[in-house]
Amino acid sequence: MISATDLLADIADALAAVLPEQRWFAGKGRPVHGVIPVRATDLAGAEPRLVHAVVEVDQGEQHRDRYQFLLGVRSDLPDILGHAWVAACGDQAVYQAIHDPELTAVLLDLMAQGTTVEGLRFAVEPGVTLDTEQRSRPVGAEQSNTSLVYGQTYILKLFRKVAAGRSPDLELHRALASLGCKHIAAPLGSIEGALESVPVTYGMLTEYLRNAADGWAMATASVRDLLAANLLVEGAPGPVEQADPADVGGDFASEAHRLGQAVATVHTDLATALGSAPAPAGYLDAVADDMHRRLDGVLAQVPELSPHEDALRAAFDAVRGLEGPVPVQRVHGDLHLGQVLRSVTGWVLIDFEGEPMVPLATRVAPTSTLRDVAGMLRSFDYAANYLPLGDDDPEQRAAVALAWTTRNQDAFCDGYAQAAPDPRKHAVLLHAFELDKAVYEVGYEHSNRPLWLPIPLAAITRLTTTSP
Amino acid sequence: MKGAPHTGEAMLPDGHLVEPQAGDYEHAKAAPTDPHWYKRAVFYEVLVRAFHDHDGNGAGDLAGLTRKLDYLEWLGIDCLWLPPFYASPLRDGGYDISDFRAVLPEFGTVEDFVVLLDEAHKRGIRVITDLVMNHTSDQHPWFQESRRDPEGPYGDFYVWNDKDTGYPDARVIFVDTETSNWTYDPVRRQFYWHRFFSHQPDLNYDNFEVGEAMLDVLRFWLDLGIDGFRLDAVPYLFEEEGTNCENLPRTHEFLKRCRKVIDDEYPGRVLLAEANQWPADVVEYFGDPAAGGDEAHMAFHFPLMPRIFMAVRRESRFPISEILAQTPPIPSGAQWGIFLRNHDELTLEMVTDEERDYMYSEYVKDPRMRANIGIRRRLAPLLDNDRNQLELFTALLLSLPGSPVLYYGDEIGMGDNIWLGDRDSVRTPMQWTPDRNAGFSSCDPGRIYLPVIMDPVYGYQAVNVEAQSTSSQSLLNWTRRMIQVRHQHSAFGLGDFSELSSSNPSVLAYRRSHVSNHDAGDDLVICVNNLSRFPQPVELDLGEHAGGVPVELTGGVHFPPIGELPYLLTLPGHGFYWFQIVPPNTGREP
Ligand SMILES: Nc1ncnc2c1ncn2[C@@H]1O[C@H](COP(=O)(O)OP(=O)(O)OP(=O)(O)O)[C@@H](O)[C@H]1O
């Protein structure tokens, strides 16, 4: 039998070919010059065989990222796995094993047994016993990693891009679980290892919240209901009175309130578990510098932003002179309505990886919790404006959206204030984080979804004309 | 009560009152035996006064109800639930009973009741009624004797005391009308204990004889052929210093005594406990799970109803998912009763702190939601007479775990008359025909006990049984068809419940599955409900049933077989599907 290392070397070119089609591939748009094997390990059997592989993708000097693959090898690939085919190796078929429940079951077994294979450490969290009978399927969602759902019980997130250093997702889940935090999916197991003596995280197994819906779906259902109520009044003869979001059936405020409480509880628990301290000297300047830098970049691309430049810079500079201690701690880092799940027991935060595309050292640096709060506040604004309904009268549409946003942002902050200090007490910093986020959104929408550009632009107009 | 047999018509030399005996009457033929009938049954709450007036005096009566049994059989009803029809001064809607062994003369006689039972049983319909065990009316001869003669056989039937300071930890329930649970009786010159109104003294269950007397009341009606009782206000039977006098262990002991009488002497009859509490506390009233339950057979699931209204209003399944997730398993012989409308109200006292916050934020601040919990409105007006929502709510009622209880008139979408005040607005006469008095009574319209509904939308000319029974599109025929479908599938009554996950927060999907001892009886039903007014897609993980074919239950249409991938369905606004899952290559036409 050909060794795992040779097998990987054999199919490296084929991997280069399939890479650009993978949802999770972060280097889309840049040519792939080659795929260099980093390591390959046999995890199971001969027929079918399971190989764990790490490769480095060469996309030029600046862009050499590492990715993880699970490869299946069979002499006879069944039709239903045809779509997972990668390459032929001798008379055998090599395919992506995440689609093969027979092979993914091995991962659960290895975790349950606590096995280490050539430096790959499979383990369960303390006190956990796994039911290894569960079969997996990949989640359907658009994702930057690959998650497998076992039965309706566990979800295994395989980190695609292999970063040097332990994943904050795993680290923060463990920290929160140690305090019994109710607002996360309980961590159950992990796959870890090391590359060039630096720890890396390959996978994290958590409890699967079987009947959850994400915050975005919940919030947009509420907005849809409000818009429909307004479409009714719009057509009515006589004076038009805008429907109050508090009066319509789909009101989201009490959910937003509970969500605020959940986020604040997670913040408090993170501070308890991993510490909180007054910001070191220079923190606020660094924050402001960072915001200016981002603004410079976006201004260069998006002319529509220039009328706001002065106001934005003033808001960012206001941060520099803030009096009094600003506490910093570990935070979620990329919080929005798509990162929270409503389960039958309440709100749960997922995906503690932090801001995408940012180096690990920055992602794990302590910062203000207001960053997360600002992310959530911006997300409410997006949810309110996202649905292309009621566009006949853009002014009315905007007014309805604003009413919804204001009500739910307030409810979120009220809820937050029940479990941690009220974020609105630090209006200048919160405001600057919101604007910074909106500037980022302007850049993103400009290059990806120009139709949505008006959402962050309108928010910037609004936020810079109402002083904190 | 002159002319009719009644309690206290004579007195024995030892001071005991002579009470009517079941042997004085004809007995109804028993209903067919089926020990778990109450799990499959569709119940129908009917107010005798409101259903049909046979003697033409303006108020409905037992004989009138008997004449409408054909209709109820046609509709598919298995069991009638009658609120109290006993002799009563009617200061608390008949829950103030002045003679457990006599019928309120306005409704008829014990003989009329036996005829009703007999005719119902002939049609396969059972009958249960309310029995208030905690207290009596102050007009009851037991109480009159008790206050008159403290040393006589009834002297210790009620809770008397020289002082009004006992049991200070028991809350006053009707805070609007009562200031204390003790009231002074000038005749006996002592205070008596009452958890509800001061005209309803509590019976003293510490006195063994009281329990025996109440068991004899049960036997009286069971001997006549009644199929069971809804036991009213059970948590309050016993008192004990230093407790809140609710749900005491001795109360449970007494219920076990009642259950034993049923099991030993009247197998197949049922007890339904009225304990307006949180499901986790109510399950105590089913008794010992190891014995399959040895107290009540059934209890109402109170919080489900407001949660259904909340979920549809919020277009979110979570209010329902949460409460079902918090509902503990029940003993194998037990069953929930569930309802959309009934004359009982959910109150905030019954919930936990956390739940009170939840109910408060979701419910109490929203005036529309508040109206839902109350007893003031009927289903159709609550849902703006929206046919899609009426169907969705009814489908939920008929498919969620528990035995459904319909409220009379909701099957035709009757309206309410809010000008009649809290209780009476939903107690107007049943609307049978477009004729005078809605076909309810031949009396002069001025003499009718409550005016029939006459508004253009819900009035009897537009909404009545006669018109709807001849229209295939009517709500009545639709409801009847759904009840038929329910009867064809044991999963609804006997099956397990498990929610199916989906990422769409507006879609509530669940599986009902009944595995019987013999293979042919296995039944698996999937219910998918769109709680939103907008069309919605949903992807269900039905992997467990891969290869199976969903067959829609109302039309028998075969849907595409279930594969490895999530099963995609689209639902119209407020739409729902019921599917049976059949193995591949079965159930198809040859
Ligand atoms: N514990 C869980 N229970 C149920 N569903 C979950 C759970 N964790 C994640 N999911 C679902 O899986 C999807 C992907 O999860 P997650 O955000 O952790 O992955 P990701 O690859 O980091 O995503 P992103 O592309 O946002 O970076 C989520 O959108 C969520 O719907």
Side-chain angles (χ1 to χ4, degrees), chain B residues 84 86 94-95 97 100 130-135 214 230 232-233:
Chain B
Y86 310 93
Y95 287 85
I97 297 168
F100 290 109
D130 279 3
L131 181 64
V132 186
M133 298 204 294
N134 182 63
H135 49 257
M214 196 48 78
R230 173 177 170 280
D232 199 68

Side-chain angles (χ1 to χ4, degrees), chain B residues 32 57 64 134 223 309 321 334 395 400 414 417 421 458 532 543 555:
Chain B
N57 70 349
N134 182 63
D223 282 337
F309 283 90
S321 306
L400 283 166
M414 260 173 67
N417 182 347
Y458 300 105
S532 160

